[in-house]
Amino acid sequence: MAEVSSPTPLTSNGPNALARALGLLGDEWTLLLLRFALLGATRYNQFRAELPISYAVLTARLETLVQESLLERQVYQENPVRAEYVLTTRGRSVWPILLYIWDWERKWVPEHPEALPTMRHRVCGAEFAPRLCCSSCDKQIGVSDVDTDWGPSGSWPRSVPDVATRRRSRGRHRGGPPGFFPETMAMLGNRWSAAVVGAAFQGVRRFSDFQDSLGIPPSLLTERLHDLCAHGVLTTVRIQGRSDRAEYRLTEKGRGFFPIVVTALQWAERWYRAPEGPALRWHHRECGAEFLVVLTCDHCAAQLSGADIDVEPRRGFGQRRGSAVG
Ligand SMILES: [Zn+2]
Ligand SMILES: [Zn+2]
């Protein structure tokens, strides 16, 4: 069975790669299923053993992941029919996003409801943190080192996930996911929150500028800004001499989300392609090259690959090795 490993073509003037990918990945169940798939789970009962997920929700999410070509359904028994769900190249390539979600939650969410696993780099044996680097010059990249401009398919209206592709963000009520990545979901799990965070990274600071660039209704914008401030991602700063005006700025915690944004958006552009061209153009300011991300180990400086990362404690998902994230 040939694996689908080419990008999905998008329709012209429709939702662009960013909207499509955020619509898919801004769902906690989906991220959790991908996480366990990367750890080697392929079968219903393996996912069910790890997650308090109903059959209906599990079936729906697996179907979506098959439709989006992140998983491939393979029948391993005919009578009765039993299938397993195997990661495609596209599915495996989400590992940098999940690695950074883990890294960010570990740093910024001290009372994490789930004990986060330890990640070890198989090459050097160290517990490590990933470093975001430029593929051209190998230098480490921070939020202020990259210039970002809209590409030919880029604009706010085309980048905000469609309501229809998006499930309502669930709290921790019965039936919803148990909050494995609570803070990440506060950023990604709501279409407008993701857009507000994206705009903040592009330098938007004022209420009216958020409103104008995103086309978001003011009541929703108030709610989203309040929520992001409550999560410590944005903070309000009074403008000197203007007691009536405030700006919203990313906090250190908010800026720390940059690697998740970068890896998610570059994944999006790799796998979804609008006929007009990319949604964003990135340049590393210092070397001038187009910015393509590579991840390195902060301990040994070697380039990371998903297969070189061990997760501890390991999980017994059977045939696959305890290889962590791809
Ligand atoms: Zn560079
Ligand atoms: Zn290392």
Side-chain angles (χ1 to χ4, degrees), residues 212-240:
D212 292 348
S213 47
L214 302 179
I216 174 174
S219 59
L220 272 182
L221 178 58
T222 303
E223 195 186 295
R224 291 299 102 215
L225 287 169
H226 180 81
D227 191 52
L228 290 168
C229 287
H231 278 97
V233 165
L234 293 178
T235 185
T236 49
V237 177
R238 293 256 160 249
I239 302 172
Q240 225 170 1

PDB file of all heavy atoms in Angstrom, residues 212-240:
ATOM      1  N   ASP A 212      -8.873  45.132  13.891  1.00  0.00           N
ATOM      2  CA  ASP A 212      -8.770  45.426  12.459  1.00  0.00           C
ATOM      3  C   ASP A 212      -8.097  44.298  11.699  1.00  0.00           C
ATOM      4  O   ASP A 212      -8.540  43.899  10.632  1.00  0.00           O
ATOM      5  CB  ASP A 212      -7.970  46.718  12.229  1.00  0.00           C
ATOM      6  CG  ASP A 212      -8.729  47.937  12.737  1.00  0.00           C
ATOM      7  OD1 ASP A 212      -9.936  47.788  13.035  1.00  0.00           O
ATOM      8  OD2 ASP A 212      -8.107  49.010  12.853  1.00  0.00           O
ATOM      9  N   SER A 213      -6.988  43.773  12.252  1.00  0.00           N
ATOM     10  CA  SER A 213      -6.274  42.780  11.456  1.00  0.00           C
ATOM     11  C   SER A 213      -7.007  41.447  11.439  1.00  0.00           C
ATOM     12  O   SER A 213      -7.028  40.776  10.410  1.00  0.00           O
ATOM     13  CB  SER A 213      -4.822  42.628  11.928  1.00  0.00           C
ATOM     14  OG  SER A 213      -4.753  42.521  13.312  1.00  0.00           O
ATOM     15  N   LEU A 214      -7.624  41.055  12.544  1.00  0.00           N
ATOM     16  CA  LEU A 214      -8.248  39.730  12.590  1.00  0.00           C
ATOM     17  C   LEU A 214      -9.706  39.725  12.157  1.00  0.00           C
ATOM     18  O   LEU A 214     -10.252  38.676  11.826  1.00  0.00           O
ATOM     19  CB  LEU A 214      -8.162  39.149  14.009  1.00  0.00           C
ATOM     20  CG  LEU A 214      -6.761  38.997  14.594  1.00  0.00           C
ATOM     21  CD1 LEU A 214      -6.847  38.445  16.008  1.00  0.00           C
ATOM     22  CD2 LEU A 214      -5.929  38.066  13.726  1.00  0.00           C
ATOM     23  N   GLY A 215     -10.347  40.882  12.185  1.00  0.00           N
ATOM     24  CA  GLY A 215     -11.777  40.913  11.897  1.00  0.00           C
ATOM     25  C   GLY A 215     -12.586  40.166  12.949  1.00  0.00           C
ATOM     26  O   GLY A 215     -13.595  39.529  12.660  1.00  0.00           O
ATOM     27  N   ILE A 216     -12.124  40.214  14.179  1.00  0.00           N
ATOM     28  CA  ILE A 216     -12.775  39.487  15.271  1.00  0.00           C
ATOM     29  C   ILE A 216     -13.789  40.401  15.958  1.00  0.00           C
ATOM     30  O   ILE A 216     -13.510  41.587  16.173  1.00  0.00           O
ATOM     31  CB  ILE A 216     -11.698  38.982  16.270  1.00  0.00           C
ATOM     32  CG1 ILE A 216     -12.300  38.332  17.524  1.00  0.00           C
ATOM     33  CG2 ILE A 216     -10.759  40.107  16.703  1.00  0.00           C
ATOM     34  CD1 ILE A 216     -11.250  37.711  18.449  1.00  0.00           C
ATOM     35  N   PRO A 217     -14.980  39.903  16.286  1.00  0.00           N
ATOM     36  CA  PRO A 217     -15.952  40.739  17.003  1.00  0.00           C
ATOM     37  C   PRO A 217     -15.369  41.214  18.341  1.00  0.00           C
ATOM     38  O   PRO A 217     -14.698  40.434  19.020  1.00  0.00           O
ATOM     39  CB  PRO A 217     -17.130  39.796  17.249  1.00  0.00           C
ATOM     40  CG  PRO A 217     -16.958  38.680  16.271  1.00  0.00           C
ATOM     41  CD  PRO A 217     -15.491  38.560  16.010  1.00  0.00           C
ATOM     42  N   PRO A 218     -15.610  42.504  18.718  1.00  0.00           N
ATOM     43  CA  PRO A 218     -14.985  43.069  19.922  1.00  0.00           C
ATOM     44  C   PRO A 218     -15.269  42.281  21.197  1.00  0.00           C
ATOM     45  O   PRO A 218     -14.386  42.124  22.044  1.00  0.00           O
ATOM     46  CB  PRO A 218     -15.561  44.479  20.014  1.00  0.00           C
ATOM     47  CG  PRO A 218     -16.370  44.697  18.794  1.00  0.00           C
ATOM     48  CD  PRO A 218     -16.386  43.477  17.969  1.00  0.00           C
ATOM     49  N   SER A 219     -16.481  41.745  21.338  1.00  0.00           N
ATOM     50  CA  SER A 219     -16.794  41.018  22.581  1.00  0.00           C
ATOM     51  C   SER A 219     -15.931  39.759  22.683  1.00  0.00           C
ATOM     52  O   SER A 219     -15.437  39.404  23.756  1.00  0.00           O
ATOM     53  CB  SER A 219     -18.272  40.652  22.618  1.00  0.00           C
ATOM     54  OG  SER A 219     -18.585  39.858  21.494  1.00  0.00           O
ATOM     55  N   LEU A 220     -15.740  39.086  21.551  1.00  0.00           N
ATOM     56  CA  LEU A 220     -14.896  37.885  21.545  1.00  0.00           C
ATOM     57  C   LEU A 220     -13.440  38.242  21.799  1.00  0.00           C
ATOM     58  O   LEU A 220     -12.720  37.530  22.499  1.00  0.00           O
ATOM     59  CB  LEU A 220     -14.991  37.190  20.183  1.00  0.00           C
ATOM     60  CG  LEU A 220     -16.118  36.175  20.011  1.00  0.00           C
ATOM     61  CD1 LEU A 220     -16.030  35.562  18.623  1.00  0.00           C
ATOM     62  CD2 LEU A 220     -16.003  35.084  21.075  1.00  0.00           C
ATOM     63  N   LEU A 221     -13.020  39.362  21.210  1.00  0.00           N
ATOM     64  CA  LEU A 221     -11.628  39.785  21.401  1.00  0.00           C
ATOM     65  C   LEU A 221     -11.372  40.088  22.884  1.00  0.00           C
ATOM     66  O   LEU A 221     -10.354  39.671  23.443  1.00  0.00           O
ATOM     67  CB  LEU A 221     -11.323  41.013  20.523  1.00  0.00           C
ATOM     68  CG  LEU A 221      -9.912  41.586  20.660  1.00  0.00           C
ATOM     69  CD1 LEU A 221      -8.836  40.540  20.339  1.00  0.00           C
ATOM     70  CD2 LEU A 221      -9.735  42.802  19.757  1.00  0.00           C
ATOM     71  N   THR A 222     -12.307  40.806  23.518  1.00  0.00           N
ATOM     72  CA  THR A 222     -12.177  41.107  24.954  1.00  0.00           C
ATOM     73  C   THR A 222     -12.009  39.816  25.742  1.00  0.00           C
ATOM     74  O   THR A 222     -11.132  39.695  26.602  1.00  0.00           O
ATOM     75  CB  THR A 222     -13.438  41.854  25.448  1.00  0.00           C
ATOM     76  OG1 THR A 222     -13.599  43.020  24.652  1.00  0.00           O
ATOM     77  CG2 THR A 222     -13.314  42.247  26.908  1.00  0.00           C
ATOM     78  N   GLU A 223     -12.846  38.846  25.429  1.00  0.00           N
ATOM     79  CA  GLU A 223     -12.822  37.564  26.132  1.00  0.00           C
ATOM     80  C   GLU A 223     -11.487  36.829  25.915  1.00  0.00           C
ATOM     81  O   GLU A 223     -10.871  36.325  26.860  1.00  0.00           O
ATOM     82  CB  GLU A 223     -13.981  36.746  25.559  1.00  0.00           C
ATOM     83  CG  GLU A 223     -14.403  35.530  26.315  1.00  0.00           C
ATOM     84  CD  GLU A 223     -15.468  34.785  25.497  1.00  0.00           C
ATOM     85  OE1 GLU A 223     -16.561  35.354  25.302  1.00  0.00           O
ATOM     86  OE2 GLU A 223     -15.192  33.670  25.035  1.00  0.00           O
ATOM     87  N   ARG A 224     -11.025  36.795  24.681  1.00  0.00           N
ATOM     88  CA  ARG A 224      -9.773  36.077  24.357  1.00  0.00           C
ATOM     89  C   ARG A 224      -8.573  36.757  25.019  1.00  0.00           C
ATOM     90  O   ARG A 224      -7.668  36.102  25.519  1.00  0.00           O
ATOM     91  CB  ARG A 224      -9.558  36.011  22.838  1.00  0.00           C
ATOM     92  CG  ARG A 224     -10.511  35.127  22.067  1.00  0.00           C
ATOM     93  CD  ARG A 224     -10.423  33.671  22.507  1.00  0.00           C
ATOM     94  NE  ARG A 224     -11.504  33.287  23.372  1.00  0.00           N
ATOM     95  CZ  ARG A 224     -11.434  32.433  24.393  1.00  0.00           C
ATOM     96  NH1 ARG A 224     -10.302  31.876  24.707  1.00  0.00           N
ATOM     97  NH2 ARG A 224     -12.474  32.141  25.112  1.00  0.00           N
ATOM     98  N   LEU A 225      -8.540  38.116  24.961  1.00  0.00           N
ATOM     99  CA  LEU A 225      -7.414  38.844  25.568  1.00  0.00           C
ATOM    100  C   LEU A 225      -7.410  38.615  27.077  1.00  0.00           C
ATOM    101  O   LEU A 225      -6.363  38.388  27.676  1.00  0.00           O
ATOM    102  CB  LEU A 225      -7.513  40.339  25.246  1.00  0.00           C
ATOM    103  CG  LEU A 225      -7.190  40.725  23.795  1.00  0.00           C
ATOM    104  CD1 LEU A 225      -7.584  42.184  23.530  1.00  0.00           C
ATOM    105  CD2 LEU A 225      -5.709  40.517  23.474  1.00  0.00           C
ATOM    106  N   HIS A 226      -8.592  38.653  27.678  1.00  0.00           N
ATOM    107  CA  HIS A 226      -8.710  38.430  29.115  1.00  0.00           C
ATOM    108  C   HIS A 226      -8.193  37.027  29.475  1.00  0.00           C
ATOM    109  O   HIS A 226      -7.419  36.845  30.419  1.00  0.00           O
ATOM    110  CB  HIS A 226     -10.176  38.585  29.529  1.00  0.00           C
ATOM    111  CG  HIS A 226     -10.388  38.363  30.994  1.00  0.00           C
ATOM    112  ND1 HIS A 226     -10.153  39.339  31.933  1.00  0.00           N
ATOM    113  CD2 HIS A 226     -10.783  37.253  31.683  1.00  0.00           C
ATOM    114  CE1 HIS A 226     -10.396  38.853  33.131  1.00  0.00           C
ATOM    115  NE2 HIS A 226     -10.774  37.593  33.009  1.00  0.00           N
ATOM    116  N   ASP A 227      -8.585  36.056  28.684  1.00  0.00           N
ATOM    117  CA  ASP A 227      -8.189  34.671  28.931  1.00  0.00           C
ATOM    118  C   ASP A 227      -6.669  34.496  28.797  1.00  0.00           C
ATOM    119  O   ASP A 227      -6.023  33.860  29.623  1.00  0.00           O
ATOM    120  CB  ASP A 227      -8.928  33.785  27.911  1.00  0.00           C
ATOM    121  CG  ASP A 227      -8.798  32.308  28.233  1.00  0.00           C
ATOM    122  OD1 ASP A 227      -9.088  31.945  29.388  1.00  0.00           O
ATOM    123  OD2 ASP A 227      -8.394  31.542  27.338  1.00  0.00           O
ATOM    124  N   LEU A 228      -6.095  35.103  27.751  1.00  0.00           N
ATOM    125  CA  LEU A 228      -4.643  34.965  27.541  1.00  0.00           C
ATOM    126  C   LEU A 228      -3.863  35.705  28.631  1.00  0.00           C
ATOM    127  O   LEU A 228      -2.787  35.258  29.031  1.00  0.00           O
ATOM    128  CB  LEU A 228      -4.261  35.450  26.133  1.00  0.00           C
ATOM    129  CG  LEU A 228      -4.761  34.530  25.000  1.00  0.00           C
ATOM    130  CD1 LEU A 228      -4.620  35.210  23.642  1.00  0.00           C
ATOM    131  CD2 LEU A 228      -4.020  33.194  24.997  1.00  0.00           C
ATOM    132  N   CYS A 229      -4.415  36.823  29.121  1.00  0.00           N
ATOM    133  CA  CYS A 229      -3.777  37.504  30.260  1.00  0.00           C
ATOM    134  C   CYS A 229      -3.883  36.642  31.517  1.00  0.00           C
ATOM    135  O   CYS A 229      -2.925  36.516  32.286  1.00  0.00           O
ATOM    136  CB  CYS A 229      -4.418  38.867  30.519  1.00  0.00           C
ATOM    137  SG  CYS A 229      -3.986  40.110  29.283  1.00  0.00           S
ATOM    138  N   ALA A 230      -5.051  36.017  31.727  1.00  0.00           N
ATOM    139  CA  ALA A 230      -5.244  35.163  32.914  1.00  0.00           C
ATOM    140  C   ALA A 230      -4.271  33.982  32.888  1.00  0.00           C
ATOM    141  O   ALA A 230      -3.834  33.503  33.929  1.00  0.00           O
ATOM    142  CB  ALA A 230      -6.685  34.672  32.975  1.00  0.00           C
ATOM    143  N   HIS A 231      -3.926  33.510  31.710  1.00  0.00           N
ATOM    144  CA  HIS A 231      -2.966  32.407  31.597  1.00  0.00           C
ATOM    145  C   HIS A 231      -1.509  32.884  31.631  1.00  0.00           C
ATOM    146  O   HIS A 231      -0.596  32.079  31.470  1.00  0.00           O
ATOM    147  CB  HIS A 231      -3.211  31.605  30.322  1.00  0.00           C
ATOM    148  CG  HIS A 231      -4.314  30.610  30.474  1.00  0.00           C
ATOM    149  ND1 HIS A 231      -5.606  30.852  30.060  1.00  0.00           N
ATOM    150  CD2 HIS A 231      -4.337  29.379  31.028  1.00  0.00           C
ATOM    151  CE1 HIS A 231      -6.361  29.807  30.347  1.00  0.00           C
ATOM    152  NE2 HIS A 231      -5.620  28.898  30.933  1.00  0.00           N
ATOM    153  N   GLY A 232      -1.322  34.195  31.771  1.00  0.00           N
ATOM    154  CA  GLY A 232       0.045  34.708  31.872  1.00  0.00           C
ATOM    155  C   GLY A 232       0.800  34.715  30.555  1.00  0.00           C
ATOM    156  O   GLY A 232       2.028  34.766  30.534  1.00  0.00           O
ATOM    157  N   VAL A 233       0.069  34.672  29.451  1.00  0.00           N
ATOM    158  CA  VAL A 233       0.691  34.649  28.130  1.00  0.00           C
ATOM    159  C   VAL A 233       0.832  36.080  27.589  1.00  0.00           C
ATOM    160  O   VAL A 233       1.807  36.425  26.943  1.00  0.00           O
ATOM    161  CB  VAL A 233      -0.175  33.776  27.187  1.00  0.00           C
ATOM    162  CG1 VAL A 233       0.176  33.991  25.747  1.00  0.00           C
ATOM    163  CG2 VAL A 233      -0.046  32.312  27.591  1.00  0.00           C
ATOM    164  N   LEU A 234      -0.175  36.894  27.876  1.00  0.00           N
ATOM    165  CA  LEU A 234      -0.125  38.316  27.534  1.00  0.00           C
ATOM    166  C   LEU A 234      -0.194  39.115  28.829  1.00  0.00           C
ATOM    167  O   LEU A 234      -0.708  38.636  29.840  1.00  0.00           O
ATOM    168  CB  LEU A 234      -1.322  38.710  26.650  1.00  0.00           C
ATOM    169  CG  LEU A 234      -1.406  38.147  25.245  1.00  0.00           C
ATOM    170  CD1 LEU A 234      -2.695  38.633  24.569  1.00  0.00           C
ATOM    171  CD2 LEU A 234      -0.199  38.542  24.396  1.00  0.00           C
ATOM    172  N   THR A 235       0.318  40.325  28.772  1.00  0.00           N
ATOM    173  CA  THR A 235       0.177  41.226  29.910  1.00  0.00           C
ATOM    174  C   THR A 235      -0.197  42.599  29.361  1.00  0.00           C
ATOM    175  O   THR A 235       0.142  42.923  28.222  1.00  0.00           O
ATOM    176  CB  THR A 235       1.471  41.266  30.749  1.00  0.00           C
ATOM    177  OG1 THR A 235       1.250  42.068  31.893  1.00  0.00           O
ATOM    178  CG2 THR A 235       2.643  41.835  29.956  1.00  0.00           C
ATOM    179  N   THR A 236      -0.916  43.380  30.164  1.00  0.00           N
ATOM    180  CA  THR A 236      -1.272  44.725  29.690  1.00  0.00           C
ATOM    181  C   THR A 236      -0.236  45.724  30.194  1.00  0.00           C
ATOM    182  O   THR A 236       0.232  45.637  31.328  1.00  0.00           O
ATOM    183  CB  THR A 236      -2.662  45.163  30.197  1.00  0.00           C
ATOM    184  OG1 THR A 236      -2.724  44.921  31.594  1.00  0.00           O
ATOM    185  CG2 THR A 236      -3.764  44.405  29.509  1.00  0.00           C
ATOM    186  N   VAL A 237       0.114  46.643  29.316  1.00  0.00           N
ATOM    187  CA  VAL A 237       1.071  47.693  29.651  1.00  0.00           C
ATOM    188  C   VAL A 237       0.405  49.019  29.326  1.00  0.00           C
ATOM    189  O   VAL A 237      -0.091  49.209  28.207  1.00  0.00           O
ATOM    190  CB  VAL A 237       2.366  47.524  28.807  1.00  0.00           C
ATOM    191  CG1 VAL A 237       3.340  48.648  29.104  1.00  0.00           C
ATOM    192  CG2 VAL A 237       2.994  46.168  29.051  1.00  0.00           C
ATOM    193  N   ARG A 238       0.356  49.909  30.313  1.00  0.00           N
ATOM    194  CA  ARG A 238      -0.233  51.234  30.069  1.00  0.00           C
ATOM    195  C   ARG A 238       0.710  52.056  29.197  1.00  0.00           C
ATOM    196  O   ARG A 238       1.915  52.030  29.388  1.00  0.00           O
ATOM    197  CB  ARG A 238      -0.444  51.983  31.389  1.00  0.00           C
ATOM    198  CG  ARG A 238      -1.481  51.363  32.264  1.00  0.00           C
ATOM    199  CD  ARG A 238      -2.812  52.154  32.235  1.00  0.00           C
ATOM    200  NE  ARG A 238      -3.885  51.275  32.687  1.00  0.00           N
ATOM    201  CZ  ARG A 238      -4.866  50.808  31.913  1.00  0.00           C
ATOM    202  NH1 ARG A 238      -4.939  51.161  30.650  1.00  0.00           N
ATOM    203  NH2 ARG A 238      -5.795  50.011  32.393  1.00  0.00           N
ATOM    204  N   ILE A 239       0.147  52.770  28.262  1.00  0.00           N
ATOM    205  CA  ILE A 239       0.985  53.650  27.447  1.00  0.00           C
ATOM    206  C   ILE A 239       1.173  54.948  28.220  1.00  0.00           C
ATOM    207  O   ILE A 239       0.188  55.535  28.687  1.00  0.00           O
ATOM    208  CB  ILE A 239       0.333  53.929  26.086  1.00  0.00           C
ATOM    209  CG1 ILE A 239       0.102  52.600  25.372  1.00  0.00           C
ATOM    210  CG2 ILE A 239       1.188  54.852  25.239  1.00  0.00           C
ATOM    211  CD1 ILE A 239      -0.705  52.742  24.112  1.00  0.00           C
ATOM    212  N   GLN A 240       2.423  55.368  28.313  1.00  0.00           N
ATOM    213  CA  GLN A 240       2.725  56.555  29.114  1.00  0.00           C
ATOM    214  C   GLN A 240       1.959  57.781  28.617  1.00  0.00           C
ATOM    215  O   GLN A 240       1.901  58.037  27.412  1.00  0.00           O
ATOM    216  CB  GLN A 240       4.223  56.843  29.056  1.00  0.00           C
ATOM    217  CG  GLN A 240       4.759  57.166  30.417  1.00  0.00           C
ATOM    218  CD  GLN A 240       6.258  57.215  30.434  1.00  0.00           C
ATOM    219  OE1 GLN A 240       6.924  57.028  29.427  1.00  0.00           O
ATOM    220  NE2 GLN A 240       6.803  57.480  31.606  1.00  0.00           N
TER     221      GLN A 240
END
